Amino acid sequence: MRKLTGRRADPHEHQRIAYLLTRFSPLVTAIQHLSIYHAGEGLIVECDAVLPPETSLTVAHNIGEAAQYAIEQLSGIERAFVHIDVSSNPLSGHLER
């Protein structure tokens, strides 16, 4: 019952995914957000990877999609959502405040 919905994954899972993302591509300059939680027996991963602003849309898309597929191939991962950003701004959204 503890793993049915939304329970945070253990720290080992966070380390495993963070390690993969930080070494996935030399263009990944930072991981701004990483959330891993249970959905039944599987895990859902949500992350924001930061790329240089001059990265083309095609390259950024390909990196994000490939990272998603790589994460989803790991044991225990049900689904991954990879968001690509161009800054590590701690504010939510993209508006200047």
Side-chain angles (χ1 to χ4, degrees), residues 6-45:
R7 184 174 176 87
R8 181 185 164 126
D10 66 63
H12 169 69
E13 294 295 340
H14 284 80
Q15 291 171 344
R16 179 171 79 135
I17 302 299
Y19 183 86
L20 183 148
L21 288 169
T22 56
R23 285 153 180 79
F24 189 77
S25 168
L27 291 176
V28 175
T29 60
I31 303 302
Q32 181 172 325
H33 168 80
L34 178 58
S35 179
I36 307 171
Y37 52 91
H38 287 275
E41 289 300 315
L43 293 170
I44 305 296
V45 176

Side-chain angles (χ1 to χ4, degrees), residues 43-61:
L43 293 170
I44 305 296
V45 176
E46 297 178 6
C47 64
D48 295 345
V50 179
L51 301 181
E54 62 274 4
T55 305
S56 74
L57 177 60
T58 301
V59 170
H61 169 78

